[in-house]
């Protein structure tokens, strides 16, 4: 049996579900990340440095150096550079702190100005309240409330390595930095071995998936870091240059800090604006220059954040803005300032892993910047939400890059099919269906669909001489819906796809009876009858209407548009009398245009009749093809 396969409608029910079995594992992973951060943070930093320094090491190896000397040269250079920068920054900060007492007069004047501005207002009331609370806290406690002093004495003889409490944090940081450097060196030397071990642990059966995941993660992180480095470096250069022109001391330092702090998402740029502004308040007299310093940095940040970042970051990292904010908050809560710096690379890795692991697909849906609703599903969802404005916006946006036929086949026809199916299944009410139909009718009346698209058979019509007296006759068409208003909308779409100068398509409304449709066909003497069916249960009505039309008009051409209805039985419709069956609006349009090539209009006694000819023998075939 001959069957025609129609392009299936998007599966609305297919979603990325959150498997409950994964949730305990995620909780365990988060807990492990938190409690083992002393070990995991240096490991994560080492992996990041390994990823960043591998291209440099590979470049030296291409010049003939072996692996170990290349690694040692790159590591010594990079970490020496970072250490030197850190020393310079600390020295500059110390110098700034030492010079602040010299600006006491300016600072006092700013405080006086602020007090004068707030005198008698809210600011003064806040000051008075704070003063009262401070005085209350300074009062001597009563004898009953006086706490007893407790002295805890340790056994000094049991201390193996006495360390000052002040020096302990510094030694801990130095030890962590040393561990990162040593681990980075060994990871760079043995990077292929580590990669092969990871592949072996994941299993050879997942070799393709593992390779793709590693490559994609590397490319995304590389693109993100390159774009961020360029933007932040440019930001720091412009800030440093502007502050130098403002004669602010240590302008180069502030420019460097601006570039460095901006690596911290969303927070760093504001910190970069506050620090030089605070110094400007101390250095300059008056308020003009501090305001200019702050406005310059904030203005540059707005330009980058509003114009450049939306164009570059989304394509670079593949993480949405909301996902980025959530990841920054999560990793900061988990690992503190280091998590703030590592938030984006770690999030990119998580998104890539989620992409290739079906149980974690929901994480990629929540964080990545892709669109997870097919156009037809998104359009239908807005119709279900009774959001007429956004539904029209979806269609208008899609129409900017697609032809009307594609808009019909990809958006409107699937949405109508879904609505009819949901009505049959009891998922929508009749009122909701009517809203879908009415909104669709309004959308079809929008200006974007006023101009018909050139049909496949009409290509090459540019050869027609506009001054010629021979005007091609219009092909008379009677079009009728198989059952209801949704089918009628399909015919409206067909009419908009046809050139009104070549086709005269008359739609007989869905409210008409079959006898009325046949009577109108006989009255107009139309050589072509088009039947449209978008309803999932419209096949019996289509077949019955086709049979009656064929019995009444043996010579008429009958085209059936069975649109968006899954698998159809072409033999049933052909046996009922159909000449051609189309399954898309574009195919429906082209079949109508093909019929025009084999039908010749003739006038007898003022009445137009039609005669069928062989393909290529049409009097206008020279201009039609």
């Amino acid at each position: 049996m001959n069957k025609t396969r129609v392009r299936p409608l998007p599966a609305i029910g297919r979603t990325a579900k959150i498997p409950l079995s994964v949730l305990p594992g995620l909780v365990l992973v988060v807990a492990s990340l938190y409690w083992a951060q002393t070990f995991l943070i240096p490991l994560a930093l080492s992996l990041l440095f390994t990823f960043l320094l591998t291209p440099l090491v590979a470049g030296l190896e291409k010049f003939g150096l072996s692996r170990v000397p290349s690694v040692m040269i790159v590591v010594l250079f990079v970490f020496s550079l970072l250490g030197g920068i850190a020393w310079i920054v600390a020295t500059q900060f110390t110098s700034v702190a030492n010079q602040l007492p010299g600006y006491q007069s300016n600072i006092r004047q700013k405080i006086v100005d602020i007090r004068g501005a707030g005198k008698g207002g809210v600011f003064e009331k806040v000051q008075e309240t704070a003063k009262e609370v401070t005085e209350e806290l300074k009062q001597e406690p009563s004898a009953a409330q006086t706490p007893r002093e407790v002295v805890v004495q340790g056994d000094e003889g049991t201390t193996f390595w006495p360390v000052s409490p002040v020096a302990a944090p510094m030694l801990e940081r130095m030890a962590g930095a040393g561990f990162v450097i040593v681990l980075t060196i060994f990871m760079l030397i043995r990077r292929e071995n580590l990669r092969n071990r990871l592949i072996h642990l994941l299993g050879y059966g997942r070799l393709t998936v593992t390779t793709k995941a590693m490559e994609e993660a590397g490319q995304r992180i590389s693109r993100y870091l390159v774009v961020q480095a360029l933007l932040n470096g440019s930001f720091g250069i412009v800030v440093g240059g502007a502050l130098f022109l403002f004669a602010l001391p240590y302008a180069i330092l502030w420019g460097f800090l601006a570039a460095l702090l901006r690596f911290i998402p969303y927070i760093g740029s504001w910190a970069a604006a506050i620090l030089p502004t605070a110094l400007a308040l101390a250095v300059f007299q008056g308020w003009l220059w501090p305001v200019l310093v702050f406005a310059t940095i904030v203005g540059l940040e707005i330009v980058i954040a509003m114009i450049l970042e939306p164009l570059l970051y989304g394509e670079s990292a593949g993480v949405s803005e909301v996902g980025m904010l959530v990841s920054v908050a999560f990793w900061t809560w988990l690992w503190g300032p280091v998590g703030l710096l590592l938030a984006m690379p770690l999030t990119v890795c998580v998104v890539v892993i989620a992409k290739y692991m079906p149980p974690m697909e929901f994480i990629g849906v929540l964080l990545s910047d892709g669109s997870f609703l097919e156009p037809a599903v998104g359009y239908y969802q807005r119709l279900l939400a009774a959001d007429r404005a956004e539904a029209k916006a979806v269609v208008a946006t899609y129409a900017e890059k697609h032809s009307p036929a594609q808009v019909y086949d990809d958006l409107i026809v699937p949405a109508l099919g879904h609505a009819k199916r949901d009505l049959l299944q009891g998922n929508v009410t009749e009122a909701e269906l009517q809203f879908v139909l009415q909104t669709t009718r309004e959308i079809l009346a929008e200006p974007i669909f006023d101009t018909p698209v050139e049909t496949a058979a009409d290509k090459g019509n540019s050869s027609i001489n506009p001054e010629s007296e021979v005007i091609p006759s219009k092909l008379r068409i009677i079009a009728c819906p198989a059952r209801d208003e949704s089918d009628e909308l399909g015919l409206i779409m067909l009419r908009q796809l046809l050139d009104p100068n070549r086709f005269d398509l008359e739609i007989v409304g869905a409210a008409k009876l079959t006898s009325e449709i046949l009577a109108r066909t006989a009255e107009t003497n139309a050589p072509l009858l088009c039947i449209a069916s978008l309803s999932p249960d419209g096949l019996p009505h289509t077949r019955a209407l086709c049979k009656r039309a064929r019995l009444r008009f043996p010579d008429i051409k009958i085209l059936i548009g069975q649109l968006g209805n899954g698998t159809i039985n072409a033999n049933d419709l052909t046996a009922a009398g159909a000449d051609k069956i189309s399954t898309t609006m574009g195919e429906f349009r082209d079949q109508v245009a093909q019929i025009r090539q084999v039908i010749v209009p003739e006038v007898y006694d003022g009445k137009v009749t039609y005669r069928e000819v062989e393909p290529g023998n049409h009097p206008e075939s020279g201009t039609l093809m």
Side-chain angles (χ1 to χ4, degrees), residues 85-104:
I85 292 174
W87 181 80
I88 293 174
V89 171
T91 303
Q92 294 290 308
F93 264 120
T94 302
S95 179
V96 171
N98 293 333
Q99 291 187 10
L100 283 179
Y103 305 119
Q104 290 183 0

Side-chain angles (χ1 to χ4, degrees), residues 84-101 103 243 248-261 268 270-280 283:
I85 292 174
W87 181 80
I88 293 174
V89 171
T91 303
Q92 294 290 308
F93 264 120
T94 302
S95 179
V96 171
N98 293 333
Q99 291 187 10
L100 283 179
Y103 305 119
L243 297 183
L248 184 69
Y250 307 103
I252 298 178
L253 170 65
W254 303 123
F256 170 77
L257 287 179
L260 182 64
L261 290 173
W270 293 101
I274 292 173
L275 294 176
T277 302
L279 181 62
V283 172

Side-chain angles (χ1 to χ4, degrees), residues 435-455:
F435 176 83
V436 172
L437 297 177
Q438 179 60 31
T439 303
T440 302
R441 191 177 293 272
E442 294 175 4
I443 290 174
L444 293 177
E446 293 291 328
I448 57 175
F449 300 116
D450 284 348
T451 303
V453 177
E454 182 184 38
T455 65

Side-chain angles (χ1 to χ4, degrees), residues 126-140:
V126 173
Q127 282 184 318
E128 293 176 356
T129 303
K131 184 177 181 180
E132 293 176 0
V133 173
T134 304
E135 292 177 354
E136 184 68 23
L137 293 175
K138 288 181 179 179
Q139 293 180 2
E140 293 292 335

